[in-house]
Amino acid sequence: ASRTTARRPKRTHAHVCARSNVRHRAQRAVVDVDCTKDHFSAMDLAAILNPNSIDAFTHLLSGLSSADNEQREQCERAFESAKADGNGLAMQLVRVLRFNGGETRARETAAVLARRVFTADNGALFAALAQNTQDVVKSELLNALKEESEVKITRKVCDLICEVAAGLMERDERWNELLPFMFGAVSEGGDRLKESALNIFAQLSGYIGESLVPQIATLHGILNACLSSADMPVRVAALRACCAFVEALENPSDCMKFQDLLPAMLQTLVAALQGQDENTAQEALGLFIELAETDPRFVRNHLTQMVETMLSIAEHADLEDGTRTLATEFLVTLTEARDRAPGMMRKVPNFVQRLYNCLVTFLLDIEDDEDWHTAENEEDGGLGQGDLYEVGQECLDRIAIALGPNTVLPACAQTMPALIGDADWKKRHAALIALSQIAEGCVKGMKKDVVGAVQPCLHALATDPHPRVRWAAINGLGQMCTDLGPRLQEKAHTTVLPALLSAMDDAKNPRCQAHAAAATVNFSEDCPPECMQPYLDSLMNKLLTLLQAGNKSVQEAALTALASTADNAQESFVKYYDVVLPYLKNILINANGSEYRMLRAKAVECISLVGMAVGRTRFSQDAREVMNLLMQLQSGGFEDDDQTVQYMLQAWTRLCKCLGDEFIPYLDFVMGPLLKSANLKPDVIVKKRGEEGEEEEEEEDDNDDYEHIDHGDNRVSIRTAVLEEKATACNMLCCYVDELKDGILPFLQPILETMIPSLEFYLHEEVRTAAVASMPDILRAGKIAMEKGAKDQAWFAQLVNHIIPPLIKAMAAEPEVEIQARMLESLAECAAEAGELVRDHLTAMLETFKVLLTESLERRAERNKRAGTDDFDEEEMQALEEEQTAEDEVFDQFAECVGSLLKAFHSAILPALEPLLGFIVPLLDKKRSPAERRIAICVFDDIFEHASDGGAAIKYLEGFVTPCIEGCTDADADVRQASVYGVGVMAEHCGMSFSNYVQHALQALASVIQAPGSRDDENIYAFENAVCALGKMCEFQSSSLDAKVILPSWLANLPLTEDKVEARNVHAQLMRLLETNATALLGASQEHLPRVVSVLADVLPTSGLSAKLRLVEPEVAARMKNFLLQIQSSLPQEKLAAAWSVLSAEKQAALQNALAS
């Protein structure tokens, strides 16, 4: 790079391109170009583009790679200026490329620049070339392919031909000479030309694949011959072309015509390994991986042979790690191909056991690095771990998720005893790491015996002499606490938490101490507080001791554990508050310096969680001091890589939740940095693949700061820290709006301007999810501000118009089903808040619903096809059901949207909804899944409940009433609940039209109410909704039944206690009946009065509780009091005494207190 063309000796000689249409004299330029000038004269450009000389142009190309920045920039400007004469520039690039006497570097540069110039702006420059120039360029490129001797340049010529050809095809232009040339080259050319032509076939397969279908037989013969070539590069190129055509051909039957080539394709890999050419073998393995990703079914007929070969490579200890890793990746990729080849790999004899054993062997690629034992930074946690170790970890996790517990747990059980009892610490370590890695994928199997699942880890933690094995045991416990919680915490807290507490005493091994503290975070996050309570004193003593340790990683882990403990304990943490807070404040004040950044950040996290735990009343005494400390810390600024930023964002939000309105004065300080983080632009680098060396690309892959995505010829690198900070900030903004409501009004506009674009931020799902969740919260905040008079209705209408259209637009474009469901949920809430104001957006909303439902049904149908494949089994059925659950959520939230619209517009919306009901009616069929039937029933429940005005919904009665009544006895509790609710709704809103169905409906409700176990947890909601529906039947269909007979049965099942909404409704109905039809309810001799009093005694005391807990609304409670006071003054004393006698002393006291309040 330090040399320039100007320093090289001049050479003067003539050169004429053989068989070339480019005729020129390659002499030294008479005019030398000064590349240091700011502007280029016509004379300079004439010299550069001189058709009779390439010297000035070659000098320019050399300057483009100069180490002198100024010279390089001037040459870049000169090259840009030359683009004004596209024909001249194209010809010069080709002349330099074809000048065999020229320097290799200049010719390589010409090929690279030609590729860039001809492809920029969708090939605009090439398309604008004169036809004769295009013809010359195309001809010379093909000639170069035949005549070029330099391998590097040949490859670049191949790439250039592919780019030019692809551009022409995209513009529907032709290169008539190309395919005949390629077929001729593959059939009759030398090995290098065959290789080049095959590589072009591969690269252009996506463009020419379908056009070659009539010539598949010819192509098959050519590829078969090339796969048997004596020249290895030709064989690899043929392998590449085969894989590319399989990917490109649309018709599966066309693809399968190449299936018989698989043995020869596989033999190419075997031959490379036999020739000890592992570079070529790795290239071939990469192609097989792409094939497995593209069409896993392609290998089915030769699956046993493929698996045996790949397993043999993966197990071969003498091969390079990279080769073994790639063979493993092929096998794991096939196991993950469940959508196209479900269950296929489970059927291969002994495959799972051998693969599992192989991956566990990879975990032995670890050394007992001395520095590991004293490492204080997270990035040093992997000291001693080799590349195979990391691959083994990742792949164990992946195969467990892909294959499931019924397949993977037996493989684990087969090897665990021998490994855990081995004298080699590496094998004991590997056994425990493997166990923790498969836990996520084997949750269902492990949850059947959580005590047994953790036993190997508990045993090793208590008895193993090697600290790295004990560390692995702690790691396994922590991982399983997350994956198997809360069942593990409930069933095994008496063994797991004491073991972790004991490990915190291991002062000789700070890594184990720190990891034990970290594992208590996993334990506490999903632990019922009552399971944690007995250990709080001991745990707090341990953590406070660790906070005083000299090891920074131990202190950091202790802080995180303390924060998590506070979060779990909540108000019970008050007893430790006075001891803990001084520690935390001391860290914030004194932990200075970059080496303490993480310690300081975790102290910030901890202090905010402690504040939330103890609550506003206790924390407010210290709030001002804590807030001032945090403001001082934030005012000092943070370096770009300082994670304290994200911790601060979350801490401010927790403190806002803790302090509520008292936090509003701090918003001016907090919101600026928060909005800045939320508006961060992604740090994205896009490069052409292959322009950097392999070593540079490998270094990029190893850089954890960036996530790399290969898209076509481009490599896109995204800095992950920026995305994480942006996602955190967006989540925090959502929390502020939700917590402060109209208190956030001064910042509502910038929040809205931040969140609307984030709805379509496709680089990070959490950003979109936060934006989606914020939309109804922003509307609610705006609505409250309007209701309080801070804003007018016109402003709120404008806010609605700002939010609804972008949400609908983003929903239509959203690629993730889960987020699509959240968008529907958000839209339903927005519609509920907006009410009539959503009218202008109905057309767009309903059209989008139609598109989403169509796509969802197509995905369902595609998944259901998997159930008919040969390899489909029980585990695949479970996986299919889980995927369908996510799809059901889309329909579920669509139903919520319909419900919101019906509540806002009632029957007026029905004509617009009619087309969408065509998607819903088929879901009522008994053959559909329970979730689908429930969703359909819920939609019609809403129609009858909210759109029966003027009898508009009656037309749906005949089609709905039968599946609804039948659904009351469905095996699925959720279907039963929706169905009995629907019976009640129809009884209330359909009047005499429902009378013909009353007797059948009564029988259905009775079957739900009287069924054995009807009040069990899984049935209670269906039971309570059935009781409510029975009451509606008595109230609204009294002419078709004998209420005096039925009401006592209804009363006997009161009060309702679990479904709080239905409870409040039915208890209000009880009061209506007492006020309007007391005789029917109480009986002729008031024999049912004791039961009524008992029910009122149960529900009245709850009227002062929150909406989530109360069983009766305050207004209804007042009427209940009046009723009780009235009967006390009007009934004979003996009847009152009899009624009150059914109450316990405790209930009598509670009732008297309620009456007196």
Side-chain angles (χ1 to χ4, degrees):
S2 62
R3 294 186 302 159
T4 63
T5 306
R7 296 175 184 166
R8 293 179 184 134
K10 292 185 177 181
R11 291 172 289 180
T12 55
H13 60 274
H15 173 77
V16 180
C17 295
R19 296 190 300 277
S20 172
N21 291 324
V22 182
R23 305 294 179 185
H24 65 276
R25 299 291 298 172
Q27 302 175 6
R28 270 291 154 197
V30 176
V31 181
D32 202 9
V33 179
D34 182 1
C35 286
T36 64
K37 295 190 299 183
D38 287 333
H39 301 285
F40 297 90
S41 65
M43 184 176 295
D44 291 331
L45 289 176
I48 291 171
L49 301 178
N50 182 0
N52 297 313
S53 173
I54 60 172
D55 286 336
F57 190 71
T58 303
H59 182 60
L60 174 66
L61 296 184
S62 177
L64 289 173
S65 58
S66 171
D68 185 325
N69 289 340
E70 184 178 354
Q71 182 182 3
R72 186 177 65 254
E73 289 170 3
Q74 298 303 326
C75 288
E76 287 171 354
R77 283 196 286 274
F79 189 81
E80 286 299 312
S81 300
K83 290 180 182 178
D85 181 2
N87 290 289
L89 178 60
M91 293 301 294
Q92 286 294 72
L93 287 168
V94 171
R95 290 183 186 114
V96 173
L97 173 64
R98 295 284 285 125
F99 180 33
N100 287 336
E103 293 185 1
T104 299
R105 184 167 184 176
R107 297 172 62 225
E108 280 189 70
T109 302
V112 170
L113 290 175
R115 183 180 176 186
R116 290 180 183 172
V117 168
F118 293 163
T119 58
D121 300 323
N122 296 319
L125 187 146
F126 190 89
L129 296 178
Q131 187 59 52
N132 65 318
T133 304
Q134 288 192 18
D135 292 342
V136 170
V137 169
K138 291 187 287 188
S139 176
E140 284 304 312
L141 291 179
L142 297 181
N143 286 334
L145 204 61
K146 286 191 293 186
E147 300 167 4
E148 183 57 59
S149 58
E150 293 278 353
V151 174
K152 283 186 177 180
I153 296 178
T154 299
R155 289 175 180 166
K156 287 180 167 52
V157 170
C158 282
D159 293 339
L160 180 52
I161 288 173
C162 290
E163 294 285 3
V164 171
L168 289 167
M169 293 173 193
E170 287 172 357
R171 295 190 297 273
D172 292 326
E173 299 174 18
R174 301 178 68 83
W175 188 348
N176 294 325
E177 301 84 4
L178 181 60
L179 279 178
F181 174 88
M182 287 164 61
F183 273 110
V186 173
S187 302
E188 301 171 5
D191 287 339
R192 292 291 67 75
L193 187 56
K194 283 183 179 179
E195 179 190 1
S196 298
L198 287 166
N199 285 331
I200 293 172
F201 266 125
Q203 290 190 57
L204 292 179
S205 60
Y207 295 94
I208 63 176
E210 289 302 310
S211 66
L212 291 179
V213 168
Q215 301 180 59
I216 278 183
T218 302
L219 189 60
H220 179 283
I222 290 173
L223 292 174
N224 191 27
C226 291
L227 284 168
S228 303
S229 171
D231 185 76
M232 182 56 70
V234 171
R235 294 176 72 173
V236 173
L239 172 60
R240 185 180 298 108
C242 285
C243 294
F245 277 112
V246 169
E247 180 178 355
L249 293 171
E250 295 179 1
N251 191 327
S253 63
D254 291 332
C255 295
M256 294 307 164
K257 292 174 182 175
F258 293 93
Q259 202 173 39
D260 64 334
L261 296 178
L262 263 173
M265 294 164 67
L266 193 60
Q267 188 56 38
T268 299
L269 168 62
V270 173
L273 289 172
Q274 289 173 341
Q276 299 184 341
D277 183 359
E278 290 201 48
N279 287 335
T280 297
Q282 290 177 17
E283 187 177 359
L285 284 166
L287 293 170
F288 278 115
I289 292 169
E290 291 179 12
L291 183 62
E293 291 172 342
T294 302
D295 189 359
R297 291 166 296 191
F298 183 77
V299 305
R300 183 190 296 275
N301 289 348
H302 301 277
L303 185 61
T304 302
Q305 181 185 1
M306 296 284 294
V307 167
E308 177 59 38
T309 301
M310 295 298 181
L311 278 173
S312 298
I313 295 171
E315 294 166 340
H316 202 306
D318 293 333
L319 294 175
E320 294 177 10
D321 289 352
T323 305
R324 299 175 71 189
T325 296
L326 288 168
T328 304
E329 179 62 30
F330 172 82
L331 295 169
V332 175
T333 299
L334 283 181
T335 67
E336 293 176 322
R338 304 173 71 165
D339 55 335
R340 286 163 294 172
M344 180 175 75
M345 299 303 288
R346 278 194 287 267
K347 303 290 173 52
V348 180
N350 204 33
F351 161 68
V352 175
Q353 189 68 61
R354 282 183 67 185
L355 179 60
Y356 181 88
N357 293 349
C358 178
L359 295 176
V360 171
T361 303
F362 283 6
L363 296 178
L364 302 179
D365 185 18
I366 186 173
E367 300 299 331
D368 192 11
D369 192 309
E370 290 183 7
D371 292 337
W372 179 89
H373 296 271
T374 56
E376 294 193 3
N377 299 315
E378 288 185 16
E379 54 266 30
D380 297 328
L383 290 171
Q385 297 171 4
D387 292 339
L388 284 178
Y389 180 92
E390 294 179 4
V391 172
Q393 273 192 306
E394 178 192 339
C395 290
L396 280 166
D397 181 42
R398 289 167 61 190
I399 67 165
I401 292 171
L403 297 174
N406 294 343
T407 303
V408 175
L409 285 179
C412 175
Q414 183 75 22
T415 59
M416 178 64 72
L419 288 170
I420 206 72
D422 200 282
D424 186 351
W425 74 268
K426 294 182 181 181
K427 292 184 179 180
R428 303 195 302 274
H429 182 274
L432 297 172
I433 293 296
L435 186 63
S436 66
Q437 290 303 111
I438 67 172
E440 181 183 1
C442 296
V443 165
K444 288 184 179 179
M446 286 185 165
K447 276 191 173 181
K448 294 175 182 177
D449 180 17
V450 291
V451 174
V454 298
Q455 199 55 44
C457 293
L458 290 172
H459 176 75
L461 183 55
T463 63
D464 202 287
H466 202 289
R468 294 203 74 154
V469 177
R470 296 199 301 277
W471 182 94
I474 296 167
N475 185 73
L477 289 174
Q479 188 64 53
M480 284 188 277
C481 284
T482 296
D483 294 331
L484 308 182
R487 186 172 181 82
L488 182 146
Q489 287 86 335
E490 293 169 358
K491 299 293 184 182
H493 63 87
T494 58
T495 54
V496 172
L497 199 50
L500 294 176
L501 290 171
S502 177
M504 292 183 201
D505 295 330
D506 191 2
K508 292 182 179 180
N509 294 285
R511 289 298 301 276
C512 290
Q513 281 184 300
H515 214 45
T520 64
V521 176
N522 302 66
F523 184 91
S524 65
E525 283 180 344
D526 213 5
C527 181
E530 53 268 25
C531 294
M532 194 87 170
Q533 184 70 36
Y535 309 96
L536 281 180
D537 287 345
S538 178
L539 175 59
M540 289 303 301
N541 288 334
K542 301 271 188 183
L543 295 177
L544 290 172
T545 301
L546 294 182
L547 274 179
Q548 301 172 66
N551 187 288
K552 185 160 56 69
S553 65
V554 173
Q555 292 175 315
E556 290 172 3
L559 275 175
T560 305
L562 199 154
S564 184
T565 302
D567 192 35
N568 180 281
Q570 291 299 300
E571 62 274 4
S572 299
F573 198 80
V574 169
K575 67 182 290 189
Y576 312 106
Y577 178 79
D578 289 332
V579 177
V580 168
L581 196 66
Y583 278 100
L584 302 179
K585 291 192 290 189
N586 183 58
I587 293 172
L588 292 181
I589 294 169
N590 296 315
N592 301 313
S594 59
E595 69 273 23
Y596 293 109
R597 290 190 310 193
M598 183 53 68
L599 184 68
R600 195 166 55 240
K602 289 186 179 290
V604 168
E605 174 188 50
C606 190
I607 208 166
S608 63
L609 281 166
V610 166
M612 280 188 68
V614 300
R616 181 191 302 196
T617 302
R618 183 66 185 86
F619 184 67
S620 59
Q621 303 168 31
D622 301 288
R624 183 177 296 278
E625 182 185 3
V626 169
M627 301 293 273
N628 287 336
L629 285 173
L630 294 181
M631 287 193 289
Q632 289 173 19
L633 180 59
Q634 184 163 300
S635 298
F638 303 107
E639 296 177 15
D640 289 343
D641 61 341
D642 192 344
Q643 290 180 294
T644 307
V645 174
Q646 290 193 52
Y647 283 86
M648 287 291 292
L649 295 178
Q650 296 178 58
W652 286 124
T653 309
R654 294 191 196 103
L655 292 171
C656 173
K657 285 183 173 293
C658 174
L659 299 174
D661 292 346
E662 294 178 17
F663 188 85
I664 291 176
Y666 298 98
L667 283 177
D668 287 334
F669 182 82
V670 171
M671 292 303 293
L674 181 59
L675 286 165
K676 180 182 177 183
S677 293
N679 282 290
L680 284 172
K681 302 300 180 188
D683 185 354
V684 179
I685 302 170
V686 181
K687 296 178 181 177
K688 284 284 186 182
R689 292 175 65 189
E691 289 186 3
E692 294 183 336
E694 290 184 9
E695 290 185 7
E696 288 85 349
E697 288 196 358
E698 286 179 7
E699 287 179 8
E700 285 183 1
D701 288 336
D702 293 336
N703 186 350
D704 293 334
D705 291 338
Y706 284 84
E707 181 179 345
H708 306 287
I709 303 169
D710 291 331
H711 181 70
D713 288 339
N714 293 325
R715 160 160 284 207
V716 182
S717 301
I718 308 166
R719 191 173 174 221
T720 52
V722 173
L723 297 183
E724 293 300 328
E725 182 178 340
K726 182 181 180 73
T728 299
C730 288
N731 273 309
M732 298 307 102
L733 284 175
C734 189
C735 292
Y736 279 115
V737 179
D738 178 50
E739 183 66 32
L740 297 177
K741 305 293 190 293
D742 58 315
I744 202 76
L745 187 62
F747 300 95
L748 206 60
Q749 186 62 33
I751 291 174
L752 188 63
E753 292 171 355
T754 299
M755 291 305 207
I756 292 294
S758 298
L759 291 169
E760 297 185 82
F761 188 81
Y762 297 112
L763 295 178
H764 203 289
E765 291 180 12
E766 280 191 37
V767 172
R768 302 202 303 283
T769 302
V772 169
S774 73
M775 296 295 110
D777 289 336
I778 292 172
L779 270 185
R780 271 189 284 270
K783 191 173 185 178
I784 293 170
M786 178 189 68
E787 291 168 347
K788 290 183 177 181
K791 294 290 183 180
D792 59 22
Q793 190 162 358
W795 175 87
F796 183 65
Q798 190 176 26
L799 185 63
V800 171
N801 292 334
H802 274 307
I803 288 175
I804 301 289
L807 183 55
I808 294 172
K809 176 175 175 286
M811 188 165 57
E814 176 55 48
E816 296 296 329
V817 173
E818 291 83 358
I819 298 179
Q820 206 174 74
R822 299 284 70 79
M823 287 177 163
L824 283 163
E825 180 181 27
S826 178
L827 187 59
E829 293 182 38
C830 288
E833 296 297 332
E836 274 284 335
L837 294 174
V838 82
R839 184 182 295 277
D840 292 342
H841 311 294
L842 284 178
T843 301
M845 195 183 296
L846 297 174
E847 282 300 315
T848 303
F849 290 165
K850 187 175 180 180
V851 171
L852 296 187
L853 295 180
T854 300
E855 292 174 349
S856 180
L857 289 172
E858 288 173 353
R859 290 191 296 267
R860 287 169 187 269
E862 192 62 34
R863 288 194 187 98
N864 288 335
K865 288 181 183 177
R866 286 157 51 188
T869 60
D870 295 338
D871 301 311
F872 197 79
D873 56 21
E874 183 181 346
E875 292 215 24
E876 285 306 318
M877 176 57 77
Q878 293 176 2
L880 189 67
E881 289 172 352
E882 289 172 5
E883 292 172 31
Q884 295 290 35
T885 298
E887 208 68 69
D888 289 340
E889 187 68 10
V890 171
F891 267 75
D892 243 331
Q893 297 307 329
F894 159 74
E896 291 295 324
C897 287
V898 170
S900 293
L901 295 177
L902 288 165
K903 290 171 189 174
F905 299 103
H906 304 292
S907 62
I909 194 71
L910 287 179
L913 286 178
E914 285 282 354
L916 296 177
L917 295 182
F919 293 94
I920 300 302
V921 171
L923 302 185
L924 292 169
D925 191 282
K926 292 179 182 178
K927 296 179 181 178
R928 304 307 287 253
S929 71
E932 290 171 328
R933 296 200 306 278
R934 173 186 55 77
I935 291 165
I937 292 168
C938 286
V939 170
F940 281 100
D941 287 353
D942 279 339
I943 288 174
F944 283 103
E945 183 171 9
H946 304 296
S948 289
D949 46 308
I954 298 299
K955 62 181 178 180
Y956 304 113
L957 182 61
E958 186 177 349
F960 176 62
V961 68
T962 299
C964 185
I965 291 176
E966 289 176 349
C968 294
T969 55
D970 196 274
D972 184 85
D974 291 334
V975 174
R976 293 200 302 275
Q977 180 186 347
S979 299
V980 296
Y981 184 86
V983 167
V985 167
M986 289 186 290
E988 180 178 356
H989 294 282
C990 292
M992 293 302 295
S993 299
F994 189 69
S995 60
N996 292 335
Y997 307 102
V998 166
Q999 293 308 313
H1000 285 111
L1002 286 173
Q1003 292 170 11
L1005 294 177
S1007 69
V1008 176
I1009 295 170
Q1010 297 168 8
S1014 60
R1015 293 176 185 261
D1016 292 348
D1017 288 348
E1018 64 270 23
N1019 300 319
I1020 188 64
Y1021 283 94
F1023 168 82
E1024 293 198 342
N1025 277 259
V1027 172
C1028 185
L1030 185 61
K1032 289 180 179 178
M1033 295 277 283
C1034 292
E1035 185 175 3
F1036 300 106
Q1037 297 292 328
S1038 57
S1039 63
S1040 301
L1041 51 78
D1042 189 347
K1044 291 180 181 179
V1045 174
I1046 298 173
L1047 279 173
S1049 298
W1050 173 73
L1051 183 61
N1053 288 294
L1054 300 185
L1056 305 187
T1057 59
E1058 299 304 315
D1059 188 333
K1060 301 301 188 294
V1061 173
E1062 288 307 296
R1064 291 193 286 271
N1065 289 336
V1066 84
H1067 299 147
Q1069 183 188 21
L1070 171 63
M1071 257 337 287
R1072 286 198 306 273
L1073 290 171
L1074 287 172
E1075 292 165 345
T1076 61
N1077 195 8
T1079 303
L1081 186 61
L1082 296 174
S1085 303
Q1086 296 179 328
E1087 61 268 23
H1088 304 305
L1089 178 60
R1091 183 62 196 163
V1092 169
V1093 171
S1094 177
V1095 172
L1096 299 186
D1098 283 329
V1099 303
L1100 252 179
T1102 72
S1103 62
L1105 301 177
S1106 68
K1108 291 183 178 180
L1109 297 175
R1110 63 173 175 256
L1111 303 177
V1112 63
E1113 295 292 359
E1115 177 269 328
V1116 177
R1119 289 156 55 197
M1120 288 180 174
K1121 291 179 188 178
N1122 290 335
F1123 170 79
L1124 289 171
L1125 292 172
Q1126 182 181 351
I1127 64 171
Q1128 281 181 331
S1129 63
S1130 62
L1131 287 182
Q1133 190 62 37
E1134 63 273 13
K1135 286 197 174 183
L1136 283 174
W1140 251 256
S1141 67
V1142 300
L1143 304 180
S1144 66
E1146 184 181 356
K1147 274 192 178 183
Q1148 288 188 33
L1151 183 56
Q1152 290 298 342
N1153 288 336
L1155 288 172
S1157 63

